[in-house]
Amino acid sequence: MKEPSSVGFEGNGVVSPPPQALLERLKDYGQEDAFALWDELSQEERDLLVKEIESLDLSRIDRIIRCSLRSQGLPAAAIEPVPESSVSTVEERSQEERERWWKMGLKAISDGKLAVLLLSGGQGTRLGSSDPKGCFNIGLPSGKSLFQLQAERILCIQRLAAQATNESSASSVQIPWYIMTSPFTDEATRKFFESRKFFGLEAEQVTFFQQGTIPCVSKDGRFIMETPYRVAKAPDGNGGVYSALKCTKLLEDMASKGIKYIDCYGVDNALVRVADPAFLGYFIDKGVAAAAKVVRKAYPQEKVGVFVRRGKGGPLTVVEYSELDPSLASAVNQATGRLRFCWSNVCLHMFTLDFLNQVANGLEKDSIYHLAEKKIPSIHGYTMGLKLEQFIFDAFPYAPTTALFEVLREEEFAPVKNANGSTNVDTPDSAKLLVLRLHTRWVVAAGGFLTHSVPLYATGVEVSPLCSYAGENLEPICRGRTFHAPCEITF
């Protein structure tokens, strides 16, 4: 045990006690152990500890811990498959419907009714990088980062919306982009955008805000101390976006801009169609509060959460793959030939602003977080404890109406989660190939030709998002021309 430093003593040689009122508040919530090592701290460390505890909303944190621990082990309502009427499948969509939804979406965008919300709190640690995931370059011929690909898709849609509504210039249409960072990625994300001049977007259309953190706790709900004067904390999950939007007053900011619809997605999808007019048009047409793009589950054991209906006639919600009984996971719907639970959640969502307000209030009132058992850094080395987090799909049980919109995985889902070489799935290399193969199909369909020195299935071409959003308008660039793969096709 180290000697108490002289600064820790009052003039008469007695150690000064912790602030009484603060200690009483901690006792009220059974967290007085946070001051257990007070006598051993220097004055500077004590000041840090007091400041740390004062910064915590103890009553809110206590409510979250109690509600979350209590909800563990409660039987969940039985699940049913999603009703067919709630899903727009690819094969059922007529050309006429697609065009109508696309036009409706472009009209709403040019009217300023859509905002885009990016969940970007994670670092690329599993990719071997401490940078924000969005800064990652997956190895495309252009060398563009995920952030740049997404920004350029927004620029493309702004131009298409301006053309479709005969606006004189693309700059007359602006899609606000709200980017949620975390304490670990906030500064680096802002600097990345600033140093690259926001990739051609206007600085004022991009708003950064941080998700919250929440103390890590032991199994009996007590704070784990990372150091004698600091509580171990972790980000509150991508579902922390709802409380973050509420407490930063960004929901009010959206309302003041006339925004009605929010397109919400995760950063680590190299093929994400940001601000997709077809999805927006479908959403408006259906008149629902919430919607999600879904892909068909590839095989019964695939590690993806699926949409289900909770309880008889209950709301649509997501069940994680670990919670789905194997016999249910492999059950087949004889009428359709599909798995009964086949609609995978890939974090591509659309919400009305009214609904986001409702969710932020509902989640806050219910205060139920998912508990993840993890190794937590503590004063005793790494110790097993609980991280509390919410997920983006926790919103769906609050939705009075939800619609699902099937998309093809090879067109819209190229996840970047694992380092190259660590596994064959969801790596930068696998995502890069998905992008190159899709864009190769676009170029061939537009009358272009390819030469290549390696097998075509291992390469392809990249079409700049500034040229084409989803394969449209490529004939003037590609017809009759030959491209040598791999390369980037720009104007």
Side-chain angles (χ1 to χ4, degrees), residues 20 57 117 121 133 179 193 196 283 300 306 333 337 375 395 445 487:
Q20 195 56 35
D57 183 341
L117 174 58
K133 256 191 184 175
I179 299 178
F193 272 76
R196 287 154 181 82
F283 181 70
V306 288
N333 176 335
K375 283 184 179 166
C487 68

Side-chain angles (χ1 to χ4, degrees), residues 119 180 211 236-244 359 363 369 389-394:
L119 309 174
M180 182 175 81
Q211 72 185 101
D236 54 8
N238 61 15
V241 67
Y242 304 114
S243 57
V359 170
L363 282 172
Y369 284 58
E389 44 189 10
Q390 289 186 315
F391 299 135
I392 190 76
F393 56 74
D394 290 340

